[in-house]
């Protein structure tokens, strides 16, 4: 097989079969000399042919199968017969065993050197299959988890600690730190966390074990280490990396450090907490190399996004983003700041902590230990001639009142609040001691949001709701009497033609059409619910990735009047009568009806809204 392929030149074959022209081939060859990339990749990058077109062509010419990895079921033992380093080097993965040979998927089946090396490493005959390189790289990240390596390094570190007394400070100050098992262990933990897209890593001591838990798509996944003694060494090394006091174990400490993992810059926020069996460590991972998301990529529905943009481009007023910890509030606010960040606009932020560094924006790190709290920063920021102010959180009466007065005096103020939904946020400001006239004069809009898990596209299957779920769905749709329908566009046009003084605003007409396209309060007869079976790509969870669920409340005259009177009941009624207000669970249900998420996730959002007393606990 190898001898036959030595005579094949893919470029000539593509020209002979009229897939590309001779001129396109020569252009691609010139570009290949400059870039050093393979010819097939160069051709697809230049747009001369699609990747699938090239892979199908290779499959036919070489008489080998074209395998789509996203729909493939892998065997752990077979996959790991090829070490990860070689799998990544040769862009290959073992797919199946057929008699005395292995079926191996390759991104470039014409790489003779890679083929010969695979035969040597696997020590058997190899039959090739062609696979998409992008799918292969994603699959390698999922099938080559670092759990075994983490366990092995933990055992190695435990052996090194030995039975005798050990001075952990010696390990922390080891001159050859790159060879210390604790450093290798942490390096592997971080690599595994980045591979699995973890947002947080928890390292927790127990009576006889150490637990490492990673939060993936909002849900913790656990690995238990029986080597309990290594916990102190791991915590010590992390404290040294973050510049914390290694001799202090009785009080909580916070810090941060930056690491590079697989060419990506990861900012790590670390928090330590004294617990019964040692110190619990939680690390928040922020991928700085991905850049800041803009509003287009937050996942806001088009109608909500258009109206939210209208709010942030107002010259003054307060806009709140509300939701529990981990619901994506920071992403939404940074997306707004990215859009507002222009040379002619002065933006000052007060944050705890500063999560992303933004150019041109004046960012202040709150430090309550030295008296630099939100209120102090906000008061000083107003003397810095800002146009836009971001306050990390409205925590107390003083901060709320300064923010509201700033919004009244010509500044746009953005902030967050811990409440369950948008409607309760305005009244929460009153509960914190703000004067009703201040809130009604300054507050212009509230965004409430949650993150729900997206069903895995690779393993999703149709799902038929149970009888109990159907009753529950009917209860969601009928929980509140539907708001009055906005005036139909046709009626408004008729009124305009009849000589009414108010002409129809075309943007309003578009919004009415957008709002009426899928009313949240009515059942969608064409809904096709789905669920995930679980596969390699989603770690057998049935979910992969998350999407935001939003509700946006714009305050109108009826709501403002209720705020002035501090009448919660009238405020809620006025809010629910708004033609553009859609509750969070209705938004989540629409995603489920579109096959983006599952009814299980809708129930999670709905249960949160139905709960009481969770405002400040960060519970989802």
């Amino acid at each position: 097989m190898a001898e036959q392929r030595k005579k094949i030149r893919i470029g000539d074959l593509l020209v002979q079969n009229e897939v590309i022209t001779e001129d396109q081939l020569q252009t691609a060859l010139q570009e290949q000399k400059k870039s050093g990339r393979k010819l097939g990749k160069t051709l697809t990058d230049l747009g001369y042919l699609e990747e699938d077109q090239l892979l199908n062509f290779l499959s036919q010419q070489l008489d080998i199968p074209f395998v789509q990895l996203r729909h493939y079921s892998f065997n752990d033992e077979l996959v790991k017969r090829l070490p990860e380093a070689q799998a990544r080097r040769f862009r290959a993965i073992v797919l199946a065993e057929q008699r005395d040979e292995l079926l191996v998927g390759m991104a470039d089946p014409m790489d003779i050197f890679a083929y010969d090396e695979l035969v040597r490493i696997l020590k058997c005959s190899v039959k090739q299959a062609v696979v998409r390189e992008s799918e292969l790289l994603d699959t390698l990240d999922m099938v080559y988890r670092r759990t075994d390596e983490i366990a092995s390094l933990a055992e190695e570190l435990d052996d090194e600690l030995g039975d005798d007394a050990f001075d952990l400070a010696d390990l922390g100050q080891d001159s050859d730190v790159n060879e210390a098992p604790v450093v290798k262990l942490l390096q592997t933990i971080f690599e595994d966390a980045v591979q699995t897209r973890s947002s947080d890593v928890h390292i927790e001591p127990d009576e006889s074990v150490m637990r490492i838990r990673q939060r993936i798509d909002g849900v913790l996944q656990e690995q238990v280490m029986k080597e309990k003694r290594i916990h102190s060494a791991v915590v010590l090394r992390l404290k040294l990396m973050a510049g914390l006091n290694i001799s202090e174990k009785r009080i909580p400490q916070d810090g941060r450090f930056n690491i590079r993992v697989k060419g990506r810059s990861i900012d790590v926020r670390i928090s330590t907490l004294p617990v019964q069996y040692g110190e619990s460590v939680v690390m928040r991972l922020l991928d700085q190399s991905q850049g800041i998301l803009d509003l287009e990529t937050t996942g806001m529905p088009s109608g909500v996004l258009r109206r939210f943009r209208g709010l942030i481009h107002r010259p003054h007023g307060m806009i709140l983003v509300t939701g529990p910890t981990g619901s994506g509030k920071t992403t939404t606010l940074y997306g707004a700041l990215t859009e507002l960040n222009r040379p002619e606009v002065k933006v000052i932020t007060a944050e705890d902590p500063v999560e992303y560094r933004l150019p041109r924006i004046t960012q202040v790190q709150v430090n309550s230990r030295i008296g630099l709290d939100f209120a102090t920063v906000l008061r000083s920021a107003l003397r810095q001639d800002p146009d836009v102010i971001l306050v990390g959180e409205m925590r107390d009466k003083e901060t709320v009142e300064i923010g509201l007065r700033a919004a009244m005096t010509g500044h746009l103020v953005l902030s967050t609040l811990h409440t369950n939904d948008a409607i309760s946020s305005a009244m929460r400001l009153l509960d914190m001691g703000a004067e009703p006239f201040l809130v009604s004069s300054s507050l212009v809009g509230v965004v409430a949001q949650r993150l729900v898990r997206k069903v895995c596209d690779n393993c999703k299957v149709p799902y038929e709701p149970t009888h109990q779920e159907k009753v529950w769905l009917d209860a969601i749709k009928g929980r509140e009497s539907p708001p009055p329908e906005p005036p139909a566009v046709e009626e408004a046009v008729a009124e305009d033609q009849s000589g009414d003084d108010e002409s129809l605003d075309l943007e309003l007409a578009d919004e009415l059409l957008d709002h009426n396209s899928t009313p949240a309060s009515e059942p969608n007869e064409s809904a096709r619910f789905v669920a995930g079976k679980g596969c390699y790509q989603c770690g057998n969870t049935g979910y992969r990735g998350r999407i935001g669920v939003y509700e946006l409340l714009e305050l109108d005259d009826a709501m403002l009047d209720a705020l002035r009177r501090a009448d919660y009941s009238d405020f809620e009624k006025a809010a629910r009568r708004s033609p553009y207000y859609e509750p969070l669970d209705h938004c989540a249900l629409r995603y489920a009806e579109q096959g983006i998420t599952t009814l299980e996730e809708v129930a999670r959002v709905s249960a949160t809204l139905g709960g009481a007393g969770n405002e400040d606990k960060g519970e989802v």
Side-chain angles (χ1 to χ4, degrees), residues 280-327:
S280 172
V281 176
V282 177
M283 294 177 286
R284 168 68 56 89
L285 309 183
L286 301 169
D287 191 346
Q288 300 284 349
S289 61
Q290 289 185 347
I292 305 299
L293 290 176
D294 56 28
L295 286 177
E296 294 287 350
T297 55
T298 57
M300 275 190 186
S302 58
V304 174
L305 177 59
R306 184 169 59 249
R307 291 185 287 127
F308 182 64
R309 273 205 169 108
L311 291 178
I312 66 173
H313 285 289
R314 289 192 180 194
H316 56 82
M318 176 179 284
I319 301 169
L320 295 176
V321 180
T322 182
T325 302
S327 60

Short mmCIF file of all heavy atoms in Angstrom, two decimals, residues 280-327:
data_model
loop_
_atom_site.label_atom_id
_atom_site.label_comp_id
_atom_site.label_asym_id
_atom_site.label_seq_id
_atom_site.Cartn_x
_atom_site.Cartn_y
_atom_site.Cartn_z
N SER A 280 -8.97 23.99 51.74
CA SER A 280 -9.64 23.77 50.46
C SER A 280 -9.20 24.86 49.49
O SER A 280 -9.14 26.04 49.86
CB SER A 280 -11.16 23.83 50.66
OG SER A 280 -11.83 23.81 49.42
N VAL A 281 -8.87 24.47 48.27
CA VAL A 281 -8.41 25.41 47.26
C VAL A 281 -9.36 25.35 46.06
O VAL A 281 -9.68 24.27 45.56
CB VAL A 281 -6.97 25.08 46.78
CG1 VAL A 281 -6.55 26.01 45.65
CG2 VAL A 281 -6.00 25.20 47.95
N VAL A 282 -9.80 26.51 45.62
CA VAL A 282 -10.62 26.60 44.41
C VAL A 282 -9.94 27.57 43.46
O VAL A 282 -9.56 28.68 43.85
CB VAL A 282 -12.06 27.08 44.71
CG1 VAL A 282 -12.84 27.23 43.41
CG2 VAL A 282 -12.76 26.09 45.62
N MET A 283 -9.77 27.14 42.21
CA MET A 283 -9.12 27.97 41.20
C MET A 283 -10.08 28.22 40.05
O MET A 283 -10.63 27.28 39.47
CB MET A 283 -7.85 27.27 40.69
CG MET A 283 -6.78 27.14 41.74
SD MET A 283 -5.33 26.24 41.15
CE MET A 283 -5.96 24.56 41.12
N ARG A 284 -10.29 29.49 39.73
CA ARG A 284 -11.09 29.89 38.57
C ARG A 284 -10.13 30.11 37.39
O ARG A 284 -9.18 30.86 37.50
CB ARG A 284 -11.88 31.16 38.89
CG ARG A 284 -12.54 31.86 37.71
CD ARG A 284 -13.68 31.05 37.12
NE ARG A 284 -14.70 30.71 38.06
CZ ARG A 284 -15.77 31.47 38.32
NH1 ARG A 284 -15.90 32.65 37.72
NH2 ARG A 284 -16.69 31.06 39.17
N LEU A 285 -10.39 29.43 36.27
CA LEU A 285 -9.52 29.52 35.10
C LEU A 285 -10.14 30.47 34.08
O LEU A 285 -11.28 30.28 33.65
CB LEU A 285 -9.32 28.14 34.47
CG LEU A 285 -8.89 27.00 35.42
CD1 LEU A 285 -8.66 25.72 34.64
CD2 LEU A 285 -7.63 27.38 36.18
N LEU A 286 -9.38 31.47 33.68
CA LEU A 286 -9.83 32.43 32.67
C LEU A 286 -8.87 32.38 31.50
O LEU A 286 -7.68 32.68 31.64
CB LEU A 286 -9.87 33.84 33.27
CG LEU A 286 -10.78 34.03 34.49
CD1 LEU A 286 -10.52 35.37 35.14
CD2 LEU A 286 -12.23 33.90 34.09
N ASP A 287 -9.39 32.00 30.34
CA ASP A 287 -8.55 31.87 29.14
C ASP A 287 -8.38 33.24 28.50
O ASP A 287 -9.25 33.70 27.76
CB ASP A 287 -9.18 30.88 28.16
CG ASP A 287 -8.22 30.51 27.03
OD1 ASP A 287 -7.19 31.19 26.88
OD2 ASP A 287 -8.51 29.54 26.30
N GLN A 288 -7.25 33.89 28.76
CA GLN A 288 -7.01 35.23 28.23
C GLN A 288 -6.76 35.21 26.73
O GLN A 288 -6.99 36.20 26.04
CB GLN A 288 -5.80 35.87 28.93
CG GLN A 288 -5.95 36.03 30.42
CD GLN A 288 -6.87 37.18 30.81
OE1 GLN A 288 -7.25 37.98 29.98
NE2 GLN A 288 -7.24 37.24 32.09
N SER A 289 -6.29 34.06 26.19
CA SER A 289 -5.95 34.00 24.77
C SER A 289 -7.18 34.04 23.87
O SER A 289 -7.08 34.31 22.68
CB SER A 289 -5.14 32.73 24.48
OG SER A 289 -5.89 31.57 24.79
N GLN A 290 -8.37 33.75 24.43
CA GLN A 290 -9.58 33.76 23.62
C GLN A 290 -10.10 35.17 23.39
O GLN A 290 -10.96 35.39 22.53
CB GLN A 290 -10.68 32.93 24.29
CG GLN A 290 -10.39 31.43 24.26
CD GLN A 290 -11.53 30.62 24.82
OE1 GLN A 290 -12.44 31.15 25.45
NE2 GLN A 290 -11.50 29.33 24.58
N GLY A 291 -9.58 36.15 24.15
CA GLY A 291 -10.07 37.52 23.99
C GLY A 291 -11.42 37.70 24.67
O GLY A 291 -12.01 36.77 25.21
N ILE A 292 -11.92 38.91 24.61
CA ILE A 292 -13.18 39.24 25.25
C ILE A 292 -14.32 39.00 24.28
O ILE A 292 -14.28 39.41 23.12
CB ILE A 292 -13.19 40.72 25.71
CG1 ILE A 292 -11.97 40.99 26.61
CG2 ILE A 292 -14.48 41.04 26.43
CD1 ILE A 292 -11.94 40.16 27.86
N LEU A 293 -15.35 38.33 24.77
CA LEU A 293 -16.52 38.12 23.93
C LEU A 293 -17.23 39.43 23.70
O LEU A 293 -17.36 40.25 24.59
CB LEU A 293 -17.47 37.14 24.62
CG LEU A 293 -17.03 35.68 24.72
CD1 LEU A 293 -18.05 34.89 25.52
CD2 LEU A 293 -16.87 35.06 23.35
N ASP A 294 -17.71 39.62 22.46
CA ASP A 294 -18.55 40.78 22.23
C ASP A 294 -20.01 40.36 22.39
O ASP A 294 -20.32 39.18 22.58
CB ASP A 294 -18.29 41.39 20.85
CG ASP A 294 -18.48 40.40 19.72
OD1 ASP A 294 -19.27 39.45 19.88
OD2 ASP A 294 -17.85 40.57 18.66
N LEU A 295 -20.90 41.32 22.32
CA LEU A 295 -22.31 41.04 22.56
C LEU A 295 -22.88 40.07 21.53
O LEU A 295 -23.81 39.30 21.83
CB LEU A 295 -23.11 42.34 22.55
CG LEU A 295 -22.92 43.24 23.79
CD1 LEU A 295 -23.70 44.53 23.63
CD2 LEU A 295 -23.36 42.51 25.06
N GLU A 296 -22.33 40.07 20.32
CA GLU A 296 -22.84 39.18 19.29
C GLU A 296 -22.66 37.72 19.66
O GLU A 296 -23.43 36.86 19.24
CB GLU A 296 -22.15 39.46 17.95
CG GLU A 296 -22.45 40.82 17.35
CD GLU A 296 -23.86 40.92 16.80
OE1 GLU A 296 -24.52 39.87 16.71
OE2 GLU A 296 -24.30 42.03 16.46
N THR A 297 -21.61 37.42 20.42
CA THR A 297 -21.28 36.02 20.73
C THR A 297 -21.76 35.58 22.10
O THR A 297 -21.43 34.48 22.54
CB THR A 297 -19.76 35.80 20.63
OG1 THR A 297 -19.09 36.73 21.46
CG2 THR A 297 -19.27 36.00 19.20
N THR A 298 -22.53 36.41 22.80
CA THR A 298 -23.02 36.01 24.12
C THR A 298 -24.19 35.04 24.02
O THR A 298 -24.50 34.36 25.00
CB THR A 298 -23.47 37.23 24.94
OG1 THR A 298 -24.47 37.95 24.20
CG2 THR A 298 -22.29 38.15 25.23
N GLY A 299 -24.85 34.99 22.87
CA GLY A 299 -26.00 34.10 22.70
C GLY A 299 -27.33 34.76 23.00
O GLY A 299 -28.36 34.08 23.08
N MET A 300 -27.34 36.07 23.18
CA MET A 300 -28.61 36.76 23.43
C MET A 300 -29.53 36.61 22.22
O MET A 300 -29.09 36.76 21.08
CB MET A 300 -28.38 38.26 23.66
CG MET A 300 -28.03 38.64 25.06
SD MET A 300 -28.09 40.45 25.23
CE MET A 300 -27.49 40.62 26.91
N PRO A 301 -30.82 36.32 22.44
CA PRO A 301 -31.78 36.34 21.33
C PRO A 301 -31.76 37.70 20.65
O PRO A 301 -31.50 38.72 21.29
CB PRO A 301 -33.12 36.07 22.02
CG PRO A 301 -32.77 35.39 23.31
CD PRO A 301 -31.45 35.95 23.73
N SER A 302 -32.02 37.71 19.35
CA SER A 302 -31.86 38.95 18.57
C SER A 302 -32.70 40.10 19.12
O SER A 302 -32.23 41.25 19.17
CB SER A 302 -32.23 38.68 17.11
OG SER A 302 -33.57 38.20 17.01
N GLY A 303 -33.95 39.81 19.54
CA GLY A 303 -34.79 40.89 20.07
C GLY A 303 -34.23 41.47 21.35
O GLY A 303 -34.21 42.69 21.54
N VAL A 304 -33.77 40.61 22.26
CA VAL A 304 -33.18 41.07 23.53
C VAL A 304 -31.89 41.84 23.26
O VAL A 304 -31.64 42.90 23.85
CB VAL A 304 -32.90 39.87 24.46
CG1 VAL A 304 -32.17 40.33 25.72
CG2 VAL A 304 -34.20 39.18 24.84
N LEU A 305 -31.07 41.33 22.33
CA LEU A 305 -29.80 41.98 22.02
C LEU A 305 -30.03 43.38 21.46
O LEU A 305 -29.35 44.33 21.84
CB LEU A 305 -29.02 41.13 21.01
CG LEU A 305 -27.70 41.72 20.52
CD1 LEU A 305 -26.75 41.95 21.68
CD2 LEU A 305 -27.06 40.80 19.48
N ARG A 306 -31.01 43.53 20.58
CA ARG A 306 -31.27 44.84 19.98
C ARG A 306 -31.71 45.85 21.05
O ARG A 306 -31.25 46.99 21.07
CB ARG A 306 -32.34 44.69 18.90
CG ARG A 306 -32.63 45.98 18.14
CD ARG A 306 -33.49 45.73 16.91
NE ARG A 306 -34.76 45.12 17.24
CZ ARG A 306 -35.11 43.87 16.92
NH1 ARG A 306 -34.26 43.09 16.28
NH2 ARG A 306 -36.30 43.40 17.24
N ARG A 307 -32.57 45.41 21.96
CA ARG A 307 -33.05 46.33 22.99
C ARG A 307 -31.98 46.62 24.04
O ARG A 307 -31.88 47.72 24.57
CB ARG A 307 -34.32 45.77 23.63
CG ARG A 307 -35.51 45.79 22.67
CD ARG A 307 -36.79 45.34 23.32
NE ARG A 307 -36.81 43.90 23.56
CZ ARG A 307 -37.06 43.34 24.73
NH1 ARG A 307 -37.33 44.07 25.78
NH2 ARG A 307 -37.06 42.03 24.86
N PHE A 308 -31.15 45.61 24.36
CA PHE A 308 -30.06 45.83 25.32
C PHE A 308 -29.04 46.82 24.74
O PHE A 308 -28.53 47.69 25.46
CB PHE A 308 -29.38 44.50 25.64
CG PHE A 308 -28.28 44.61 26.66
CD1 PHE A 308 -28.54 45.00 27.96
CD2 PHE A 308 -26.97 44.32 26.32
CE1 PHE A 308 -27.54 45.10 28.91
CE2 PHE A 308 -25.95 44.42 27.25
CZ PHE A 308 -26.23 44.81 28.54
N ARG A 309 -28.77 46.70 23.45
CA ARG A 309 -27.87 47.66 22.81
C ARG A 309 -28.43 49.08 22.92
O ARG A 309 -27.70 50.04 23.14
CB ARG A 309 -27.69 47.30 21.33
CG ARG A 309 -26.58 46.29 21.08
CD ARG A 309 -26.07 46.45 19.67
NE ARG A 309 -24.84 45.70 19.49
CZ ARG A 309 -24.74 44.58 18.79
NH1 ARG A 309 -25.80 44.10 18.19
NH2 ARG A 309 -23.58 43.96 18.67
N GLY A 310 -29.74 49.19 22.74
CA GLY A 310 -30.36 50.50 22.87
C GLY A 310 -30.17 51.08 24.26
O GLY A 310 -29.94 52.30 24.43
N LEU A 311 -30.20 50.22 25.29
CA LEU A 311 -30.02 50.69 26.67
C LEU A 311 -28.59 51.16 26.93
O LEU A 311 -28.38 52.22 27.53
CB LEU A 311 -30.39 49.57 27.65
CG LEU A 311 -31.86 49.17 27.75
CD1 LEU A 311 -32.02 48.01 28.73
CD2 LEU A 311 -32.72 50.35 28.20
N ILE A 312 -27.59 50.37 26.50
CA ILE A 312 -26.20 50.73 26.83
C ILE A 312 -25.71 51.93 26.04
O ILE A 312 -24.68 52.52 26.39
CB ILE A 312 -25.24 49.54 26.64
CG1 ILE A 312 -25.14 49.14 25.16
CG2 ILE A 312 -25.64 48.36 27.50
CD1 ILE A 312 -24.08 48.09 24.90
N HIS A 313 -26.41 52.29 24.99
CA HIS A 313 -26.00 53.48 24.23
C HIS A 313 -26.74 54.73 24.68
O HIS A 313 -26.61 55.79 24.06
CB HIS A 313 -26.21 53.25 22.73
CG HIS A 313 -25.16 52.34 22.13
ND1 HIS A 313 -23.86 52.73 21.95
CD2 HIS A 313 -25.23 51.06 21.70
CE1 HIS A 313 -23.17 51.74 21.42
NE2 HIS A 313 -23.97 50.71 21.26
N ARG A 314 -27.51 54.62 25.76
CA ARG A 314 -28.12 55.82 26.35
C ARG A 314 -27.04 56.67 27.01
O ARG A 314 -26.03 56.14 27.50
CB ARG A 314 -29.16 55.43 27.39
CG ARG A 314 -30.42 54.81 26.81
CD ARG A 314 -31.48 54.74 27.88
NE ARG A 314 -32.73 54.17 27.39
CZ ARG A 314 -33.88 54.24 28.04
NH1 ARG A 314 -33.95 54.88 29.20
NH2 ARG A 314 -34.97 53.70 27.55
N PRO A 315 -27.26 57.98 27.08
CA PRO A 315 -26.22 58.83 27.68
C PRO A 315 -26.12 58.69 29.19
O PRO A 315 -25.07 58.97 29.78
CB PRO A 315 -26.67 60.25 27.29
CG PRO A 315 -28.14 60.14 27.05
CD PRO A 315 -28.37 58.75 26.51
N HIS A 316 -27.20 58.30 29.86
CA HIS A 316 -27.14 58.17 31.31
C HIS A 316 -28.22 57.18 31.77
O HIS A 316 -29.10 56.78 31.01
CB HIS A 316 -27.34 59.53 32.00
CG HIS A 316 -28.62 60.21 31.60
ND1 HIS A 316 -29.84 59.92 32.15
CD2 HIS A 316 -28.86 61.19 30.67
CE1 HIS A 316 -30.77 60.67 31.60
NE2 HIS A 316 -30.21 61.46 30.69
N GLY A 317 -28.13 56.81 33.04
CA GLY A 317 -29.05 55.84 33.61
C GLY A 317 -28.31 54.65 34.18
O GLY A 317 -27.11 54.47 33.97
N MET A 318 -29.02 53.84 34.97
CA MET A 318 -28.41 52.63 35.54
C MET A 318 -29.00 51.39 34.89
O MET A 318 -30.21 51.27 34.73
CB MET A 318 -28.65 52.57 37.06
CG MET A 318 -28.12 51.28 37.70
SD MET A 318 -28.36 51.21 39.50
CE MET A 318 -27.07 52.34 40.05
N ILE A 319 -28.11 50.46 34.52
CA ILE A 319 -28.51 49.16 33.95
C ILE A 319 -27.94 48.08 34.85
O ILE A 319 -26.73 48.07 35.14
CB ILE A 319 -27.98 49.00 32.52
CG1 ILE A 319 -28.50 50.13 31.63
CG2 ILE A 319 -28.38 47.64 31.95
CD1 ILE A 319 -27.83 50.19 30.27
N LEU A 320 -28.78 47.17 35.30
CA LEU A 320 -28.35 46.08 36.17
C LEU A 320 -28.36 44.76 35.40
O LEU A 320 -29.25 44.52 34.59
CB LEU A 320 -29.28 45.97 37.38
CG LEU A 320 -29.30 47.14 38.36
CD1 LEU A 320 -30.34 46.90 39.45
CD2 LEU A 320 -27.91 47.35 38.98
N VAL A 321 -27.36 43.92 35.68
CA VAL A 321 -27.34 42.55 35.18
C VAL A 321 -27.39 41.66 36.41
O VAL A 321 -26.53 41.76 37.29
CB VAL A 321 -26.08 42.26 34.34
CG1 VAL A 321 -26.09 40.83 33.85
CG2 VAL A 321 -25.98 43.22 33.17
N THR A 322 -28.39 40.81 36.47
CA THR A 322 -28.61 40.04 37.70
C THR A 322 -28.62 38.54 37.44
O THR A 322 -28.91 38.09 36.33
CB THR A 322 -29.95 40.48 38.34
OG1 THR A 322 -30.15 39.76 39.55
CG2 THR A 322 -31.11 40.19 37.42
N GLY A 323 -28.29 37.81 38.47
CA GLY A 323 -28.24 36.35 38.38
C GLY A 323 -27.28 35.82 39.43
O GLY A 323 -26.49 36.57 40.00
N PRO A 324 -27.31 34.52 39.70
CA PRO A 324 -26.41 33.94 40.71
C PRO A 324 -24.98 33.87 40.21
O PRO A 324 -24.69 34.12 39.05
CB PRO A 324 -26.99 32.54 40.93
CG PRO A 324 -27.69 32.23 39.65
CD PRO A 324 -28.22 33.52 39.13
N THR A 325 -24.07 33.52 41.11
CA THR A 325 -22.67 33.34 40.75
C THR A 325 -22.54 32.29 39.64
O THR A 325 -23.15 31.23 39.71
CB THR A 325 -21.85 32.90 41.97
OG1 THR A 325 -22.00 33.87 43.00
CG2 THR A 325 -20.39 32.74 41.63
N GLY A 326 -21.72 32.60 38.63
CA GLY A 326 -21.51 31.66 37.55
C GLY A 326 -22.58 31.68 36.48
O GLY A 326 -22.68 30.74 35.68
N SER A 327 -23.39 32.73 36.43
CA SER A 327 -24.46 32.78 35.43
C SER A 327 -24.09 33.59 34.19
O SER A 327 -24.91 33.78 33.31
CB SER A 327 -25.74 33.37 36.06
OG SER A 327 -25.49 34.69 36.54
#
